[in-house]
Amino acid sequence: MERSKIKELLDKYLEGETSLAEEKKLREYFTSSAIDPAFEEFKPLFTFFEKEQEIKYIEKPKINKTKKISFQWLSIAASIVLVCSVYFFSQQKEEHNNTRKVNHELAMKNTQDLLYMMTNVMNDGKNQLKYLKEFETTKNQIIRNK
Amino acid sequence: MNRHQDETKHKMNQQEFLAFLEPIKDKMYRLSLRLLVSKEAAEDATQEVFVKLWNKKSTLKNYNSPEAFAMTVTKNHCLDQLKLKKNNNLRIVHNNYEDEKTSLQKQIEAKDELNHVSEILKSLSEQEQILIQLRDVEQLEYTEISETTGMKETAIRVSLSRARKKIRKEILKKHRYGTV
């Protein structure tokens, strides 16, 4: 494009009087490689506009509609979990009761065993004490003899 | 029977709604980005505008230009967000952040003229930013911009002219600064 023509267009552009077609021409000129250095300041401007137009909106996965659906699914999932947990809990409780009975008997036996062991040990200890008594009687004998 | 047909004609179903959004969602996002600067905020704003439009889908077709209406809702929503930020004093924080960014950018800027242009745009008034965005980036006709902003065509041209001159002046400042 001729220099005078561009100058004319730019002046119109700055006054806000260019049509879209004319602005397109300007954009094309300033994004090309051969630019008159006299108008160099317009290069970043039009390149910027060109680049800005390429920005795209990347959809985020949280739209109102899907939100509602996810709440529905959430409530369904929650109720399933609730039913399952109640079921498992009740079953576990039953099991728990059974094992408790078994444990009771076992504990009884264990404590009995333990008590037996204790008495055995105690008796052993008591037997050991007999020697002490012997020592004392001999000691008394010695003292008395003196 | 006739009335029923009328009703279905004016109401949008989900598919129609998505088809309506498809060609304009990028435009809406870019306008939000221009005004709100941060990508996160612009994405949230776009999403919220989608919801607003979806809630109004029954009346959407009654508008002269649903597209322009969508852009108006976007514009207003973003301006509201900016007002909210100002009220919450978040503006100050944001400005600090921006300042830091520009000072950091200034070091690299010599090579990056495009960033410089975007910085200049931030210094324009909200209205000027909207007009530059709609006309120079989105290349909309003045009638469409008028519908979106509610401004008269002559007022748009005047404001746009002022904005363009400001941008040019700032770029020239930078250029001269660089060469001296």
Side-chain angles (χ1 to χ4, degrees), chain B residues 39-162:
Chain B
K39 275 185 193 173
E40 278 283 303
E43 277 166 18
D44 286 347
T46 315
Q47 196 92 55
E48 279 154 36
V49 173
F50 285 170
V51 174
K52 276 186 186 178
L53 290 174
W54 171 256
N55 292 337
K56 280 195 174 172
K57 64 181 185 299
S58 51
T59 53
L60 214 50
K61 275 188 178 173
N62 301 339
Y63 285 93
N64 232 353
S65 159
E67 279 191 26
F69 175 70
M71 291 304 277
T72 310
V73 176
T74 312
K75 183 204 80 178
N76 290 340
H77 182 81
C78 291
L79 291 181
D80 284 349
Q81 292 290 311
L82 287 175
K83 252 184 228 164
L84 263 178
K85 262 190 193 172
K86 264 182 211 163
N87 289 346
N88 292 342
N89 281 338
L90 277 173
R91 181 80 175 179
I92 301 163
V93 178
H94 190 64
N95 271 349
N96 287 345
Y97 170 69
E98 259 182 8
D99 282 347
E100 211 177 321
K101 209 172 139 200
T102 49
S103 70
L104 207 133
Q105 261 172 357
K106 263 176 190 160
Q107 300 163 6
I108 326 161
E109 222 170 28
K111 300 159 204 159
D112 210 344
E113 285 173 316
L114 295 186
N115 272 346
H116 184 229
V117 177
S118 117
E119 288 302 315
I120 294 169
L121 279 176
K122 277 181 211 165
S123 72
L124 298 178
S125 75
E126 280 154 8
Q127 193 196 54
E128 286 168 336
Q129 287 183 46
I130 293 167
L131 293 180
I132 287 279
Q133 181 69 23
L134 295 181
R135 179 66 181 190
D136 283 329
V137 179
E138 306 300 350
Q139 298 164 46
L140 298 179
E141 286 290 354
Y142 282 115
T143 48
E144 285 173 86
I145 299 174
S146 173
E147 250 181 275
T148 302
T149 57
M151 291 167 74
K152 277 187 185 151
E153 232 184 275
T154 43
I156 294 171
R157 283 178 196 269
V158 168
S159 185
L160 202 55
S161 160
R162 205 178 300 138

Side-chain angles (χ1 to χ4, degrees), chain A residues 13-16 18-20 23 27 41-42 44-45 48-49 52-53 55-57 60 62-63, chain B residues 26 29-30 34 44 47 114 118 121 135-137 139 141-142 157 161 164-165 167-168 171:
Chain A
Y13 172 75
L14 287 176
E15 292 306 320
T18 36
S19 68
L20 280 181
E23 282 167 26
R27 194 176 289 114
E41 75 264 22
F42 287 100
L45 184 66
F48 177 79
F49 292 153
E52 281 293 290
Q53 223 208 341
I55 296 172
K56 290 269 181 293
Y57 172 67
K60 290 203 288 183
K62 54 146 200 182
I63 266 181
Chain B
D26 291 335
Y29 173 63
R30 287 189 292 250
R34 167 97 306 111
D44 286 347
Q47 196 92 55
L114 295 186
S118 117
L121 279 176
R135 179 66 181 190
D136 283 329
V137 179
Q139 298 164 46
E141 286 290 354
Y142 282 115
R157 283 178 196 269
S161 160
R164 284 169 176 171
K165 280 174 185 168
I167 299 170
R168 185 200 180 198
I171 296 177

Side-chain angles (χ1 to χ4, degrees), chain A residues 13-46:
Chain A
Y13 172 75
L14 287 176
E15 292 306 320
E17 278 157 13
T18 36
S19 68
L20 280 181
E22 285 169 327
E23 282 167 26
K24 202 181 166 200
K25 267 187 204 162
L26 281 174
R27 194 176 289 114
E28 273 165 12
Y29 174 77
F30 281 103
T31 46
S32 69
S33 49
I35 297 156
D36 197 312
F39 313 123
E40 209 187 347
E41 75 264 22
F42 287 100
K43 192 188 175 200
L45 184 66
F46 286 106

